[in-house]
Amino acid sequence: SVSPADPDRVWAIVEAKEPEGGVYRSDDRGKTWTRVNRDRNLRQRAYYYIHIHADPQDPNTVYVPNVNLHRSVDGGKTFEVVEVPHVDVHDLWIHPNDANVMVVANDGGAQVSVDQGETWTTYYNQPTAEFYSVEVDNRFPYRVYGPQQDNSTIRVPAWREGETTPKESWKAIGGCETGPIAFHP
């Protein structure tokens, strides 16, 4: 990630065999690099997360999405966890002209902050879920079943008369995110 606040500053997060892995920073447009942090929490499950985002206005602030969202304000030396509404943070967008405005994407959907991550919008205002599989039963009307990422396995009717919000129709039926669903014949 190139710092919009200082184009000479470039960030990289590297997954490598110890002791080489970590957060690296270049202050000369990538000619030379220095490892500034070796915290494994910033690069756990690198096949799943491996992003770093430079703040558009402060060259010393950088974000690393991972299981949690991490922020450094001291050039990458130390990081703090930024509390977000849902774990497994996959992406982050920071407004280029106002770093207080951010959108985080995680396993709960997307949430917006207008105060640099102090508070976030809810994820209960959007029909967002990641399903591993979907099954239907043989009832009439049939029901749809699915295990959700980082949530329960749910059942919903295929249709319902009258207006309702989707969550009113959801029933938790046990199981967890990767559990397959099978019906008694």
Side-chain angles (χ1 to χ4, degrees):
S1 181
V2 177
S3 171
D6 178 2
D8 288 338
R9 180 161 284 182
V10 183
W11 300 92
I13 187 164
V14 176
E15 174 64 15
K17 187 175 179 181
E18 292 303 330
E20 286 83 25
V23 175
Y24 285 79
R25 188 181 78 211
S26 171
D27 291 319
D28 57 10
R29 296 182 180 238
K31 291 178 187 164
T32 61
W33 292 87
T34 303
R35 183 173 57 180
V36 292
N37 191 294
R38 63 176 63 190
D39 185 353
R40 284 285 304 150
N41 291 317
L42 303 175
R43 53 195 166 96
Q44 61 182 320
R45 293 170 62 190
Y47 61 91
Y48 202 58
Y49 319 99
I50 196 78
H51 301 285
I52 191 162
H53 300 272
D55 185 281
Q57 297 169 325
D58 181 358
N60 289 310
T61 299
V62 66
Y63 294 85
V64 175
N66 204 289
V67 172
N68 295 299
L69 178 61
H70 303 268
R71 173 177 50 217
S72 173
V73 296
D74 62 3
K77 294 175 190 162
T78 62
F79 282 81
E80 64 180 344
V81 171
V82 177
E83 297 295 329
V84 295
H86 204 287
V87 296
D88 290 340
V89 182
H90 297 284
D91 209 352
L92 175 70
W93 176 81
I94 307 168
H95 192 291
N97 300 320
D98 184 355
N100 290 310
V101 179
M102 308 157 91
V103 180
V104 68
N106 52 44
D107 281 1
Q111 299 89 45
V112 177
S113 176
V114 295
D115 55 15
Q116 204 172 24
E118 291 296 317
T119 61
W120 298 90
T121 59
T122 182
Y123 59 86
Y124 290 115
N125 64 352
Q126 53 194 299
T128 304
E130 293 178 70
F131 286 93
Y132 280 89
S133 63
V134 175
E135 300 289 337
V136 296
D137 63 22
N138 291 326
R139 297 179 179 179
F140 183 82
Y142 66 90
R143 296 176 186 174
V144 180
Y145 301 78
Q148 304 175 88
Q149 169 68 28
D150 281 344
N151 288 304
S152 65
T153 298
I154 63 164
R155 176 190 77 204
V156 297
W159 67 82
R160 184 172 169 165
E161 298 212 18
E163 292 193 29
T164 183
T165 61
K167 190 152 174 89
E168 288 176 343
S169 299
W170 290 26
K171 300 286 184 217
I173 60 166
C176 65
E177 59 189 5
T178 60
I181 299 166
F183 302 103
H184 188 287

